[in-house]
Amino acid sequence: MKSLLLPLFLPFLLAPQANDGVALGEPTAFTFRRPLMRGMGIERLADLRGKPVLVYQWGHTTWGADECVKEVLVLQRRFGEDLAIIFSETQGGSEHVVEKMALEQNWLGTRAMWTLEYPVHTGLVGVPGLALVGVDGTLKMKAAADTWGLPLSNRVMDELEEKIEAEVELRRTGPAEVAPEVAAAYALAAKGGYGPAIVSARAAGDAAGAKAAVEEFERRADRRLERAAWMLEHGELVLMKEELDGLEEVLAGDDERVARCRELVAAREDDSQAAEREAADALAKLWKKVSKRGPKKSTPKALRKVVKQHPGTKTAARAERMAALLEE
């Protein structure tokens, strides 16, 4: 799995070098050509606007890649919904290779997403590398390893964590120049009340930052609804239940979005989804056990038991793919 890509006696060739790329403070924009692995319907960087986005450039053949990824996944677990992480594989790995490695390494238990594309070109050369996009969509930080294949320095990782914390705080409190009543709306959103936040920001009328706040809260609410709809379409009904639990309360006061939420709940609970719900529950129960210590030799057999017991479901197709990848 691990291998040095270049001789260690040529470190001067491996240091990051500057070329054309997005400068700090400049806006970022990217549309993905292929669906993100675990992207839940994300198609563009703009779909993640309103939260910090960490694009982490890694390589599946680089020595220490697994440890580097694990280090970043700690950030995803810590910040949860307040941070989006996109792992960008840049050493020619196929989607098949990345998915297999992520399964084997037990990396799929967070909201992190995976791609073969590089959505933010920083102008730095080196693996690993990173770009941090702020809540406003502009580039806040970029860095690359001093020597190809070695982890990012503790200094870089400490700076990254500080900048993420600052962006998360901005996400929760809003820009400094907003009116007090708009700041109060951000406080409601920070507690998870997007509906009340929308109502409050609308009531602020022409106050400083009110219009932008309404748009921001509506975007956050819509993203949750869109994610739930994607999960329904793809048979991710356990994740969908987690997404929908308490969502009506989060949207309270926004009648249109509450109605959309109720429609999604009804669609998930419809009799037509009974077989898919049972299959999704079975796979989730199995994977909860597997994820504690990672896949074993017996895992493919257990996955195929789910396939056999729930034929024809989207969950069964997903379980079969997982089993095949782990058997290779």
Side-chain angles (χ1 to χ4, degrees):
M1 181 69 69
K2 299 179 181 179
S3 62
L4 289 174
L5 298 180
L6 293 173
L8 290 180
F9 57 82
L10 293 177
F12 61 94
L13 293 178
L14 305 180
Q17 302 175 31
N19 51 48
D20 292 339
V22 181
L24 294 177
E26 288 186 347
T28 60
F30 189 82
T31 298
F32 293 95
R33 295 184 294 275
R34 292 277 300 165
L36 284 156
M37 179 178 167
R38 308 303 293 171
M40 307 293 176
I42 293 295
E43 296 179 349
R44 306 170 299 158
L45 271 184
D47 294 338
L48 297 167
R49 190 69 52 82
K51 66 175 66 177
V53 181
L54 173 58
V55 178
Y56 191 83
Q57 184 180 11
W58 70 292
H60 75 285
T61 61
T62 302
W63 182 86
D66 51 350
E67 294 302 322
C68 291
V69 170
K70 288 177 183 177
E71 184 177 24
V72 175
L73 286 174
V74 170
L75 296 174
Q76 183 69 90
R77 294 188 180 94
R78 175 184 170 186
F79 292 103
E81 173 68 15
D82 284 326
L83 173 67
I85 294 181
I86 300 174
F87 286 99
S88 171
E89 206 290 323
T90 60
Q91 290 182 326
S94 65
E95 292 179 355
H96 182 92
V97 166
V98 172
E99 186 176 6
K100 175 177 171 61
M101 188 172 181
L103 271 173
E104 292 174 338
Q105 297 291 333
N106 202 20
W107 290 341
L108 300 181
T110 73
R111 291 180 177 270
M113 297 165 277
W114 308 78
T115 183
L116 305 182
E117 302 175 61
Y118 194 38
V120 182
H121 291 280
T122 62
L124 298 178
V125 178
V127 178
L130 63 83
L132 180 65
V133 179
V135 296
D136 62 355
T138 64
L139 186 63
K140 301 299 183 182
M141 179 182 176
K142 58 182 177 179
D146 293 330
T147 300
W148 200 300
L150 295 184
L152 291 160
S153 69
N154 290 336
R155 177 190 61 78
V156 169
M157 295 306 293
D158 288 345
E159 180 184 354
L160 172 64
E161 193 164 347
E162 290 175 2
K163 288 188 179 295
I164 291 174
E165 288 174 348
E167 290 299 315
V168 168
E169 182 66 15
L170 183 60
R171 168 177 164 83
R172 294 173 177 173
T173 61
E177 63 273 14
V178 301
E181 56 267 44
V182 179
Y186 272 98
L188 289 172
K191 295 177 181 179
Y194 293 147
I198 291 169
V199 172
S200 178
R202 284 175 178 167
D206 295 328
K211 181 179 179 181
V214 171
E215 294 173 352
E216 173 60 26
F217 303 146
E218 288 180 339
R219 178 165 52 243
R220 295 185 197 181
D222 287 341
R223 179 58 199 141
R224 288 199 60 177
L225 291 166
E226 289 162 2
R227 189 159 54 202
W230 185 95
M231 292 169 180
L232 176 66
E233 181 182 353
H234 292 82
E236 295 273 12
L237 298 190
V238 171
L239 292 179
M240 185 184 181
K241 186 177 187 304
E242 294 172 0
E243 191 70 44
L244 290 173
D245 279 350
L247 184 56
E248 184 172 335
E249 295 178 7
V250 167
L251 300 174
D254 188 325
D255 294 342
E256 177 187 349
R257 289 177 174 83
V258 167
R260 286 166 58 190
C261 179
R262 289 175 178 172
E263 289 174 1
L264 286 166
V265 171
R268 184 192 181 278
E269 299 304 318
D270 190 81
D271 290 345
S272 64
Q273 294 293 330
E276 199 68 68
R277 286 197 303 272
E278 292 177 5
D281 287 342
L283 181 57
K285 183 177 180 180
L286 167 62
W287 206 252
K288 184 177 181 179
K289 295 178 180 178
V290 171
S291 62
K292 290 180 179 179
R293 295 185 179 180
K296 300 179 180 179
K297 289 184 178 180
S298 60
T299 301
K301 182 178 180 180
L303 286 166
R304 288 213 164 86
K305 184 176 180 180
V306 173
V307 175
K308 184 177 181 180
Q309 292 177 340
H310 304 277
T313 61
K314 296 171 184 175
T315 299
R318 189 161 60 252
E320 175 59 38
R321 176 169 176 77
M322 294 164 71
L325 286 168
L326 291 171
E327 285 178 334
E328 290 181 357

